[in-house]
Amino acid sequence: MSVEPEVERETMRVYFARLWDSDLAWNFRNSPLAVLSATVLFVIAFTSIFAGWLMPQNPFDIMQLFLDKANLPPVWSEGGEMPYLLGTDMQGRDVLSAIVYGSRISLVIGLASVAVSMTIGVLIGLLAGYIGGALDNLLMRLADAVMSIPTLLVAILVSAIFRGLLPVEYRDTFAPAILVLALSLTSWVVYARMVRAVTMVEARKEYVMAARIINVPRRRIILKHILPNVMTPALVTGTLNLGLAILAEATLSFLGVGMPSAQPSLGTLIRLGNEYFFSGTWWIVLFPALQLTLIILAVNLLGDWLRDALNPKLK
């Protein structure tokens, strides 16, 4: 009875050893920018997930906000107080806690929108590239129509429509889902075009032709043979577009059609802080802006490394 756990541990050990010795892992270990970017993203994600235990305040809990602590400067400035390391805002909300909780919202919305848009784009690209014909023309013309409209304009329109349809008491609750939907409806085209091009190449290869000859079902060919070969470029594109999705969410929130003030993302914090920037409370807008810049920079650097590492022409 004790042999099976030992075999499982040995199997896992061999698996991780092979993973550690793979070309991708070696490339990662020898790329200082990739290691630094991954470390920064890990720290931001870790603090965001465990914000309830790490941060001195829950900025979403009105019982933890104290108006007598409003507009405190950072702790190293005159008038600063512990535990408000980066100061407080006009509501007595700890800026550091708000940034960490806001980063969680921005990351979740960015990852969710990329996942949804990638799923839609991959499915459409597979169908258009493999089946072709009238379906391909219809789907690509739809993609052209979506691409012809500015992304932010579509996102603002979709967000405004759904906010108008929902009762007032549910708007804040469904704000994240509305943002994910608004961003996904404008981002799937990139994946669809890329997957369509790769699918058209794969569909003409010998292994697909052989599968057709022996009457393998079309769905099995697409899902079992072609899909694994298009996922690598799709994942690279998704990594590169994650920074754009987070920036788009921050832009919508900054314009007032994103996350509400009661559940602030980084874009909402920047919008709220910008209203008081010229009153001398510079820390309310500066630190959220720096956090947003750091996240997008780290994601872009990691995406650039992944694109180069998985590019066979550079090996």
Side-chain angles (χ1 to χ4, degrees):
M1 296 296 294
S2 61
V3 177
E4 292 184 0
E6 185 66 27
V7 173
E8 292 180 359
R9 286 194 293 269
E10 181 64 21
T11 302
M12 293 297 297
R13 188 190 67 80
V14 172
Y15 172 78
F16 283 112
R18 291 179 178 177
L19 185 64
W20 179 258
D21 293 333
S22 64
D23 292 339
L24 187 64
W26 182 90
N27 195 314
F28 176 78
R29 296 195 301 270
N30 288 272
S31 176
L33 278 179
V35 174
L36 179 61
S37 301
T39 303
V40 169
L41 289 176
F42 174 79
V43 171
I44 293 175
F46 181 85
T47 55
S48 300
I49 293 172
F50 298 101
W53 291 273
L54 298 175
M55 293 299 104
Q57 182 189 89
N58 182 356
F60 301 156
D61 186 0
I62 193 173
M63 300 300 294
Q64 299 186 29
L65 305 182
F66 303 99
L67 292 178
D68 60 330
K69 300 295 184 181
N71 295 328
L72 290 178
V75 70
W76 60 84
S77 302
E78 183 180 356
E81 294 183 12
M82 288 293 292
Y84 309 111
L85 294 177
L86 301 182
T88 60
D89 62 9
M90 71 295 302
Q91 298 177 349
R93 184 162 47 195
D94 178 42
V95 172
L96 178 59
S97 300
I99 288 174
V100 173
Y101 277 86
S103 299
R104 177 200 293 178
I105 294 176
S106 296
L107 288 173
V108 168
I109 293 177
L111 288 170
S113 63
V114 167
V116 173
S117 59
M118 183 188 298
T119 302
I120 297 173
V122 168
L123 291 176
I124 291 178
L126 285 171
L127 293 175
Y130 186 81
I131 298 177
L135 180 62
D136 180 26
N137 290 330
L138 175 63
L139 293 176
M140 289 303 101
R141 297 301 75 76
L142 176 62
D144 292 338
V146 174
M147 287 288 289
S148 64
I149 307 174
T151 301
L152 284 180
L153 182 60
V154 175
I156 291 173
L157 179 62
V158 172
S159 180
I161 290 175
F162 278 91
R163 283 178 174 273
L165 294 176
L166 287 173
V168 177
E169 61 270 20
Y170 294 113
R171 291 178 184 176
D172 291 353
T173 303
F174 289 97
I178 293 173
L179 275 175
V180 171
L181 178 63
L183 295 174
S184 302
L185 289 178
T186 59
S187 304
W188 62 267
V189 178
V190 178
Y191 305 97
R193 287 181 174 275
M194 182 271 299
V195 170
R196 172 181 176 269
V198 177
T199 301
M200 293 177 69
V201 174
E202 295 294 324
R204 293 180 174 85
K205 291 187 176 180
E206 293 180 354
Y207 74 95
V208 176
M209 300 300 294
R212 288 177 176 175
I213 291 174
I214 62 176
N215 294 323
V216 175
R218 178 183 294 176
R219 182 176 62 180
R220 182 176 178 84
I221 293 176
I222 294 176
L223 297 180
K224 298 293 184 180
H225 299 288
I226 298 180
L227 179 60
N229 291 317
V230 305
M231 284 309 298
T232 296
L235 290 174
V236 173
T237 304
T239 304
L240 292 171
N241 285 344
L242 177 58
L244 295 176
I246 295 174
L247 183 60
E249 181 278 324
T251 303
L252 292 174
S253 297
F254 182 82
L255 295 175
V257 292
M259 294 302 297
S261 301
Q263 304 177 46
S265 67
L266 292 176
T268 308
L269 293 174
I270 295 172
R271 173 173 60 84
L272 296 175
N274 188 60
E275 298 175 358
Y276 296 87
F277 181 74
F278 293 103
S279 65
T281 53
W282 50 268
W283 57 88
I284 302 178
V285 65
L286 176 62
F287 294 121
L290 289 177
Q291 177 82 336
L292 179 62
T293 303
L294 185 63
I295 292 175
I296 295 174
L297 180 61
V299 169
N300 288 341
L301 290 175
L302 193 62
D304 289 340
W305 164 79
L306 186 62
R307 178 191 57 197
D308 296 339
L310 296 178
N311 189 349
K313 295 181 180 179
L314 299 179
K315 296 181 179 180

